[in-house]
Amino acid sequence: MNIGIVCYPTYGGSGIVATELGSELARQGHKVHFISYALPTRLDKFQNNIFYHDVEFPHYPLFDHQLYTLALAGKIIDVIKYEKIDILHVHYAIPHTISGILAKQIMGETHNFKLVTTLHGTDITLVGLEPAFHPLVKYSLDQSDAVTAVSNYLAEKTVQNFNPSKKIEVIYNFIDPEFYQRHDTYNLKSQLAPYGEKVFMHISNFRPVKRVPDTIRILNEVIKKHPAKLLLVGDGPDRTECESLVRELKLNDHVRFLGKQTSIVELLSIADLFLLPSQSESFGLSALEAMSCGVPVIGSNIGGIPEVVSHGETGYVAELGDVERMAKYAISLFDNPKKFKIFSGNSRKKAIEKFDSNLIVPQYIKLYERLLNN
Ligand code: GMT
């Protein structure tokens, strides 16, 4: 098949899922055309069957803001025309699906292609609810040939919020368990937790929705019982607030801000627990990556997190903002190494049994084939 993939190229789960999916499809012999405004972060190495098409923005004094939706639609038309795309798979509805619909309408019967939208989270739960965007998202859902969501939670929210005319199909996010497995190649533990401290890890884009300050408050409770470090990976708007909180709680020796890192597996390999206290999370791809590396997760009991983290088996979930309970769960695992080991094994097992790319990618292929045979 010739597959076009539209995604945000920057740090963020939807771009990662789109890129990993495209890579796997290309490995299986499909031709994959990425359409984005920058090279997606994980496409930095040459791979056969992968092509990249850059969305260019016209500059004109009249345009105070960039015309992303139109520029993208224009690029999609170009790629469809010259690359004979069968499937256009857009990740994150806003505004990617609208650009896809526009391209489809303009191309008409001359270049017929199927439009698949994958919903990732805030396109449905936050941004999509803005009064100005709501009708556009509803139209996007109704005009796509198929719509998938990355968790049951997100599919249900989509139905509640938008009453779409078609079924929202759930296809979970996935990982490659061969890639996401523990190996401390660079001996990071001796550098980051040299005295055998327990290591908490959090990875995100530090948006308010992630509640990163909660991870610091959890650490603040836990160190009363166990020596521990918190490694914060990533960057974003809440970083300054987090730095102030660390100073206020006098945790400077316990918290390290590592910024945006690329060696995620090596870092996860030295983690004992992964923290995801988010306020909204449709899936929690970073939690799955941690689990695949045998790191149990403590997170909030919201959105799709409980579909990924099995409470009492691969970690724990607690009410939103209940940092004391989250800290208690962490202490209970540190107090009981045997239990901790079981949780770590369960985490890796669940990642492989439910979210292995070998199980999930065929679900997308089946969907594409179904659409093309209709
Ligand atoms: O929806 C967002 O905030 C952005 C999006 C992204 O592109 O990073 O994140 C969502 O998609 C990820 C991949 O499917 C999920 O793992 C995240 O849970 C989800 N984020 C939220 O729902 C806040």
Side-chain angles (χ1 to χ4, degrees), residues 325-346:
R325 179 150 296 275
M326 293 186 200
K328 274 189 190 141
Y329 284 140
I331 292 168
S332 79
L333 282 176
F334 293 156
D335 280 347
N336 189 341
K338 231 181 179 173
K339 188 163 148 193
F340 177 84
K341 211 165 164 218
I342 294 173
F343 273 49
S344 166
N346 289 346

Side-chain angles (χ1 to χ4, degrees), residues 105-353:
Q105 286 171 355
I106 293 168
M107 304 296 287
E109 288 303 310
T110 51
H111 293 85
N112 221 339
F113 66 92
K114 299 291 180 187
L115 177 61
V116 178
T117 297
T118 289
L119 306 169
H120 280 274
T122 49
D123 43 357
I124 290 301
T125 59
L126 203 71
V127 195
L129 295 178
E130 296 272 336
F133 289 155
H134 190 281
L136 294 169
V137 174
K138 162 90 177 130
Y139 188 73
S140 298
L141 300 171
D142 291 346
Q143 295 297 314
S144 295
D145 293 298
V147 180
T148 75
V150 297
S151 63
N152 287 310
Y153 158 81
L154 189 59
E156 280 158 25
K157 270 279 157 225
T158 308
V159 172
Q160 260 175 37
N161 292 344
F162 295 95
N163 189 24
S165 61
K166 62 176 61 59
K167 188 177 182 305
I168 310 297
E169 305 178 46
V170 176
I171 301 185
Y172 276 134
N173 284 335
F174 58 89
I175 35 90
D176 173 1
E178 293 293 316
F179 181 74
Y180 282 97
Q181 66 177 315
R182 247 180 145 79
H183 63 90
D184 187 8
T185 316
Y186 306 128
N187 202 15
L188 294 178
K189 187 111 184 175
S190 68
Q191 298 171 59
L192 290 162
Y195 304 108
E197 298 97 325
K198 298 293 180 199
V199 175
F200 285 105
M201 191 162 290
H202 171 80
I203 305 174
S204 77
N205 39 25
F206 284 54
R207 284 173 302 164
V209 84
K210 300 287 173 182
R211 292 180 69 103
V212 190
D214 280 4
T215 65
I216 298 165
R217 294 194 180 95
I218 294 168
L219 176 84
N220 195 37
E221 293 302 313
V222 174
I223 52 168
K224 294 174 188 160
K225 293 258 339 221
H226 290 275
K229 296 262 183 187
L230 169 63
L231 304 181
L232 292 171
V233 181
D235 213 337
D238 276 0
R239 175 157 172 178
T240 314
E241 184 194 332
C242 290
E243 285 171 344
S244 306
L245 184 63
V246 167
R247 278 185 224 119
E248 187 189 314
L249 297 173
K250 301 198 173 28
L251 291 173
N252 304 46
D253 292 339
H254 299 272
V255 183
R256 285 282 296 268
F257 291 87
L258 299 178
K260 291 181 185 174
Q261 294 279 327
T262 45
S263 307
I264 295 300
V265 176
E266 286 77 4
L267 284 164
L268 284 171
S269 298
I270 65 160
D272 293 295
L273 283 178
F274 189 85
L275 298 175
L276 194 62
S278 313
Q279 172 184 324
S280 166
E281 201 73 67
S282 70
F283 183 88
L285 185 63
S286 56
L288 174 59
E289 292 175 345
M291 284 165 57
S292 185
C293 293
V295 184
V297 177
I298 295 181
S300 34
N301 189 13
I302 51 100
I305 295 181
E307 291 176 58
V308 181
V309 180
S310 306
H311 182 71
E313 285 173 22
T314 70
Y316 291 107
V317 291
E319 286 318 298
L320 178 64
D322 193 347
V323 288
E324 267 150 43
R325 179 150 296 275
M326 293 186 200
K328 274 189 190 141
Y329 284 140
I331 292 168
S332 79
L333 282 176
F334 293 156
D335 280 347
N336 189 341
K338 231 181 179 173
K339 188 163 148 193
F340 177 84
K341 211 165 164 218
I342 294 173
F343 273 49
S344 166
N346 289 346
S347 298
R348 169 102 183 132
K349 190 162 173 268
K350 181 165 181 187
I352 294 173
E353 285 180 358

